[in-house]
Amino acid sequence: MERTTCCVVGGGPAGMVLGLLLARAGVEVTVLEKHGDFLRDFRGDTVHPSTLRLLDDLGLAERFAALPQRHVHSVQLPIGRDGDLFTVGDISSLPGKYNYVAMVPQWDLLDLLADEAKREPTFQLRMNTEVTSFLMERGRVTGVRYRDRVAGSTGELRATLTVACDGRGSLARVLPELGLREFPCPMDVWWFRLPREERDPQGLVGNAGERYLTAMIDRGDYWQCAALIPKGADDAWRAQPLDQFLASFAEATPWIRQGVADREPRPRSWDEVKLLDVRMDRLRRWHRPGLLCIGDAAHAMSPVFGIGINLAVEDAVAAARHLAGPLRKGIVGLADVRAVQNRRWPTAAGTQILQRIAHARVIEPLLQGRSPAVAGQPLRLTQVLTKAPWLKRGPAYFLAYGAGRERPPAASLRHSG
């Protein structure tokens, strides 16, 4: 019979950060990841200042800085009839050395975290290991059943605590006592790439087209493009020629001077345009005896504001701080896992409230061809917000840190330099 102290299900940002922090704090931890590697395209690749400071605290700043990356210092939106770009979030205005968002392929970040965690004698990462169900004894989760996706063999891993970090498709979400609450979303997202030219703007740029919105992430030599389309419109919209959509996309992006047709390589088929089925939901309870859910497993976020990964990492940091001590003692009570939800729930719920407001007042009207419900004089208001440096720090701080910064357990720290 296999056994560990903490079984972490899912090797995404939350799972790998939690595994590293707990292992450094002396806790025996096993991370189970169903894939054979971390290579997945169009995942969230934003590393926010709060995570950059965490990596610095863990002594990983220099190794992270060596990864290929692009720094985003601002968020820009087109305002007015001419589509002039205004900066609505100037992250560079924040104090400290981490006043930017680093755009790093998520697999590079996860490889870095995994490599560092493997140095700890209490850490184990098992790839190609898919969790199929929970082990239950007298109403308590006591571990998991798993299947090796290469060998085809099955097994059981018992644990003092199981932490679900396996995203919005988590097995934990089918447990009725956790009470999944879903919120309507007006959009889905198409992801694709376009070449970037030196004359293009820098940073994160938003635009509006005919019943769709765009977000373009500066990745150096290319743009990672997101087109927000009406919910459920994917099949019907794909019936049109791809070049017709790309031409419409270029028309909504004034600074693509010669259009998409002159940029190579560009998408040649709809297979190169990936669909993200956007969901927003939240568990009423993130825990039950022997089990804790964090990250998207506990609260699937809208892509609005682009801070889902940031919230998941902060969940992991808070979980490590609250649970390292009890796990070392081998006794984790309901009060211990409840403390994690009590700490993180207000931030998750508050962020979702802001996202729902953005859905209802801005995104849904625009996707339906109506004016956004932020009436009044939006141009004048935006000009005030973007020209007053002290006002720009509000949205910039929210993008950088969310509601606040979590502190890792002291035993896990290895400061850089």
Side-chain angles (χ1 to χ4, degrees):
M1 183 183 298
E2 299 176 89
R3 182 165 186 85
T4 188
T5 301
C6 182
C7 172
V8 176
V9 182
M16 294 309 304
V17 168
L18 179 61
L20 172 59
L21 296 180
L22 290 179
R24 282 192 173 184
V27 175
E28 184 183 18
V29 55
T30 301
V31 178
L32 305 181
E33 167 56 46
K34 69 179 181 180
H35 295 99
D37 54 45
F38 297 122
L39 295 174
R40 254 80 69 205
D41 205 358
F42 298 126
R43 302 180 82 170
D45 294 342
T46 55
V47 181
H48 292 248
S50 59
T51 304
L52 293 171
R53 291 181 63 177
L54 171 66
L55 293 171
D56 197 349
D57 289 342
L58 299 179
L60 301 177
E62 291 185 8
R63 292 178 61 190
F64 179 81
L67 298 177
Q69 58 190 271
R70 186 79 168 177
H71 294 174
V72 174
H73 295 89
S74 63
V75 177
Q76 296 177 302
L77 293 175
I79 301 297
R81 294 181 178 179
D82 297 330
D84 294 333
L85 293 175
F86 284 85
T87 299
V88 295
D90 183 7
I91 303 172
S92 65
S93 67
L94 298 178
K97 60 180 178 179
Y98 297 118
N99 57 355
Y100 57 86
V101 173
M103 304 301 302
V104 177
Q106 192 177 115
W107 54 82
D108 285 338
L109 172 63
L110 296 178
D111 281 335
L112 170 62
L113 295 171
D115 181 64
E116 184 65 22
K118 289 175 183 176
R119 301 184 183 190
E120 303 299 324
T122 58
F123 178 86
Q124 185 180 19
L125 172 62
R126 296 170 62 172
M127 307 296 287
N128 288 309
T129 305
E130 181 178 11
V131 173
T132 56
S133 63
F134 295 113
L135 297 172
M136 309 284 288
E137 293 181 7
R138 296 186 295 274
R140 183 180 182 89
V141 175
T142 58
V144 298
R145 296 183 182 88
Y146 65 84
R147 179 177 67 90
D148 187 310
R149 302 181 72 187
V150 174
S153 57
T154 60
E156 297 181 354
L157 176 64
R158 297 186 178 271
T160 303
L161 177 67
T162 299
V163 183
C165 303
D166 46 344
R168 60 184 188 173
S170 174
L171 282 175
R173 291 177 153 235
V174 304
L175 298 175
E177 62 269 33
L178 300 187
L180 182 64
R181 182 184 181 188
E182 299 181 89
F183 305 102
C185 283
M187 77 286 197
D188 290 323
V189 178
W190 279 344
W191 285 109
F192 58 98
R193 293 182 179 184
L194 286 176
R196 183 182 176 277
E197 300 180 357
E198 285 300 318
R199 61 189 179 186
D200 292 347
Q202 296 181 354
L204 178 63
V205 182
N207 295 286
E210 182 63 33
R211 298 187 63 199
Y212 67 87
L213 301 171
T214 72
M216 302 182 67
I217 302 170
D218 177 1
R219 299 300 300 269
D221 59 349
Y222 71 93
W223 290 102
Q224 182 170 322
C225 303
L228 280 62
I229 65 174
K231 189 71 174 176
D234 178 65
D235 288 341
W237 282 38
R238 285 178 187 263
Q240 67 178 309
L242 176 60
D243 286 344
Q244 180 177 328
F245 167 72
L246 293 178
S248 172
F249 185 91
E251 185 177 347
T253 312
W255 43 267
I256 299 184
R257 300 176 183 176
Q258 297 178 341
V260 175
D262 296 316
R263 299 200 176 205
E264 296 290 349
R266 68 181 190 276
R268 292 293 182 178
S269 77
W270 281 112
D271 292 339
E272 297 177 65
V273 179
K274 308 300 181 182
L275 173 69
L276 171 64
D277 177 17
V278 176
R279 304 179 200 168
M280 181 191 293
D281 53 44
R282 185 174 68 245
L283 297 178
R284 290 182 171 85
R285 290 181 58 194
W286 299 7
H287 56 80
R288 57 166 296 164
L291 175 69
L292 172 67
C293 302
I294 63 173
D296 277 0
H299 46 78
M301 312 300 291
S302 163
V304 172
F305 310 136
I307 57 176
I309 293 176
N310 190 44
L311 293 177
V313 169
E314 294 293 283
D315 284 357
V317 175
R321 188 178 73 252
H322 282 88
L323 299 174
L327 284 167
R328 282 195 299 266
K329 297 175 183 177
I331 302 176
V332 178
L334 195 58
D336 297 313
V337 290
R338 184 184 295 121
V340 179
Q341 178 175 353
N342 289 344
R343 171 68 183 180
R344 296 299 303 161
W345 186 91
T347 296
T351 301
Q352 287 183 331
I353 289 173
L354 293 176
Q355 290 179 333
R356 290 164 63 192
I357 293 173
H359 287 176
R361 294 184 174 271
V362 179
I363 294 176
E364 186 171 14
L366 287 172
L367 294 182
Q368 294 178 353
R370 299 184 285 110
S371 297
V374 286
Q377 298 177 339
L379 178 58
R380 182 180 300 176
L381 175 61
T382 304
Q383 288 175 328
V384 171
L385 289 174
T386 56
K387 290 183 178 180
W390 63 275
L391 283 176
K392 287 193 290 187
R393 291 185 180 180
Y397 185 89
F398 180 74
L399 289 170
Y401 295 102
R405 185 186 175 205
E406 298 288 350
R407 305 285 179 173
S412 66
L413 300 181
R414 312 277 197 282
H415 287 281
S416 297

